[in-house]
Amino acid sequence: GYCDSSNPLRFRGGSTTTSTTSASEVEIQVEITDEQKLRRKIKKLGVRFGPEFLNAIAQNEADHLSDCQKSCELFYCASGPNTQTSNDTITEGTTNTAETNTAKTTIKSYSMGAVPPEDFAESFGFPLDVIKVTQPTGPPLFSPHESVSVIQTAESEGIEQNEFKSGKYQLAGDWLTNLPQTLAWFNKRLETTFFPLISELFPEVVSGVEVLRAHSVSLLKYNASHPRTDVHIDNG
């Protein structure tokens, strides 16, 4: 998620567009941020739909800010824009985007095809290449040893005792907020891996690690008959 306490409507980034006009041989450059575009759109919609619409938007801003504050009570939140990965280099294709680190995790972008962009289309361009997948040509984000350790920690906290059915799947899992030791690992990885990775891979819409938030996080285990989910999008 994206949070900015001073500009709650800037949900996902801080990119700008620049328009240039010429008047009497004087060049004037005007920067228009995504938030300004959104504010202008909301103002027009407010004229069309009236006070009820504007009140709903104001309530949405307040709820969003409250959610952001609650996230920082449970999950790691960066305090400034200079946070970097500790030992993971993020490489997209052959480009090293975190040169201060030694390990290399290669990320490949895939296009979403004909799916029309909803947010910040001008920033991303089209077609969208926002599907990011780690490649076997480099080390994974998490070593086998670390992955096994996380699973063992979650099991020691009783994760398998919490079984439930979700559609055709029989799951065992829980929210990380109920697994304090697993949560401690996850919060450290938010700081060293997840937030820097997201910031590096999506610079068009994420202005820095300090605006990212973890909202609701769970760890799930699927049964033998359904070891993984079908291809899908959560909240899509």
Side-chain angles (χ1 to χ4, degrees):
Y2 180 95
C3 290
D4 186 331
S5 59
S6 60
N7 297 302
L9 280 176
R10 294 180 60 218
F11 294 129
R12 299 185 188 172
S15 60
T16 61
T17 57
T18 303
S19 59
T20 304
T21 59
S22 179
S24 303
E25 299 182 354
V26 177
E27 189 178 75
I28 303 174
Q29 291 188 338
V30 180
E31 285 193 347
I32 303 174
T33 66
D34 289 324
E35 184 203 356
Q36 289 173 327
K37 292 180 182 179
L38 185 58
R39 291 289 183 184
R40 291 178 182 180
K41 185 176 181 179
I42 289 174
K43 185 177 181 180
K44 291 180 180 179
L45 291 173
V47 173
R48 180 179 177 183
F49 296 109
E52 185 176 355
F53 169 81
L54 294 176
N55 290 338
I57 293 295
Q59 184 61 54
N60 179 272
E61 289 188 38
D63 292 344
H64 178 70
L65 180 58
S66 176
D67 284 344
C68 289
Q69 293 171 340
K70 290 178 181 178
S71 292
C72 290
E73 296 173 3
L74 300 171
F75 300 104
Y76 166 79
C77 291
S79 58
N82 297 322
T83 305
Q84 296 180 346
T85 51
S86 62
N87 54 17
D88 289 300
T89 291
I90 305 159
T91 304
E92 185 160 3
T94 57
T95 303
N96 183 349
T97 57
E99 297 177 352
T100 60
N101 305 304
T102 57
K104 290 186 177 180
T105 298
T106 303
I107 306 290
K108 184 175 181 180
S109 297
Y110 291 88
S111 171
M112 291 184 65
V115 177
E118 294 184 2
D119 299 326
F120 302 106
E122 294 179 359
S123 299
F124 270 122
F126 189 75
L128 299 179
D129 63 345
V130 296
I131 301 175
K132 310 292 186 179
V133 181
T134 57
Q135 300 298 295
T137 53
L141 289 176
F142 311 111
S143 69
H145 174 76
E146 182 176 5
S147 299
V148 169
S149 176
V150 172
I151 293 172
Q152 291 176 340
T153 299
E155 289 177 341
S156 72
E157 295 186 286
I159 191 172
E160 290 190 335
Q161 299 175 12
N162 185 39
E163 290 193 359
F164 58 95
K165 192 172 182 63
S166 176
K168 66 181 180 181
Y169 304 106
Q170 185 67 29
L171 306 180
D174 208 342
W175 301 107
L176 289 198
T177 50
N178 296 327
L179 307 170
Q181 295 180 58
T182 310
L183 175 61
W185 167 84
F186 179 74
N187 274 330
K188 186 61 179 177
R189 276 304 193 173
L190 282 179
E191 178 182 6
T192 63
T193 303
F194 291 124
F195 282 176
L197 177 67
I198 294 170
S199 180
E200 292 278 359
L201 292 179
F202 303 100
E204 303 93 339
V205 292
V206 180
S207 57
V209 293
E210 73 278 5
V211 302
L212 293 172
R213 300 290 184 270
H215 186 267
S216 54
V217 186
S218 60
L219 181 62
L220 304 175
K221 179 180 180 180
Y222 292 81
N223 61 11
S225 62
H226 294 97
R228 63 182 180 183
T229 63
D230 301 322
V231 176
H232 69 287
I233 299 175
D234 288 341
N235 299 323

